Amino acid sequence: QVQPVESGGGSVLAGGSLRLSCIGTRGTLNGHAVGWFRQAPAKEREFVAAISWSGGDRYIEDSVKGRFTVSRDHDVYLQMNRLNPEDSGLYICAAAPTPWTLNSHEYEFRGQGTQVTVSS
């Protein structure tokens, strides 16, 4: 089964941008819907964004709408603009065994995450 691996996290000042990447290892992301989750300390995991295997369907969570975009070619990307401290957390890429789903529980093939820290 595919194993996602994330990269691109780091530390930025509020207002800055980061671009996260997700690649598939032990298989490819082709045919899989791919989602991005955010885990911050003492907070529930948030389902931030998702994209279908074709790229034709996309989901962006309301709190990041207008600032974050999700895209894909061979890999999957999360472009994050106008970052604020509330965006800090571990960003986890996860693949679903289906071409598209909005059910966050179906994104079962998860990476280890990449840390994003936004300071004011």
Side-chain angles (χ1 to χ4, degrees):
Q1 62 194 34
V2 64
Q3 176 63 55
V5 176
E6 307 90 341
S7 62
S11 297
V12 296
L13 294 175
S17 298
L18 284 173
R19 188 191 195 209
L20 306 184
S21 298
C22 177
I23 66 171
T25 63
R26 285 198 263 138
T28 75
L29 296 174
N30 290 343
H32 294 273
V34 176
W36 287 95
F37 294 80
R38 177 168 70 196
Q39 180 70 62
K43 291 185 178 180
E44 290 190 7
R45 188 175 62 195
E46 293 180 87
F47 183 32
V48 175
I51 188 167
S52 62
W53 80 270
S54 69
D57 294 289
R58 307 183 192 201
Y59 163 78
I60 298 290
E61 197 265 334
D62 285 346
S63 70
V64 302
K65 198 167 289 184
R67 300 188 296 120
F68 289 16
T69 57
V70 61
S71 62
R72 70 186 299 166
D73 45 38
H74 182 71
D75 304 328
V76 177
Y77 310 97
L78 184 67
Q79 177 68 44
M80 307 186 296
N81 298 325
R82 302 197 307 278
L83 286 161
N84 59 62
E86 289 69 39
D87 294 319
S88 297
L90 184 68
Y91 282 72
I92 299 165
C93 176
T98 58
W100 176 236
T101 179
L102 286 174
N103 184 343
S104 62
H105 297 290
E106 293 190 42
Y107 289 86
E108 60 187 273
F109 308 125
R110 299 176 190 143
Q112 295 297 306
T114 184
Q115 183 67 37
V116 171
T117 303
V118 185
S119 56
S120 57

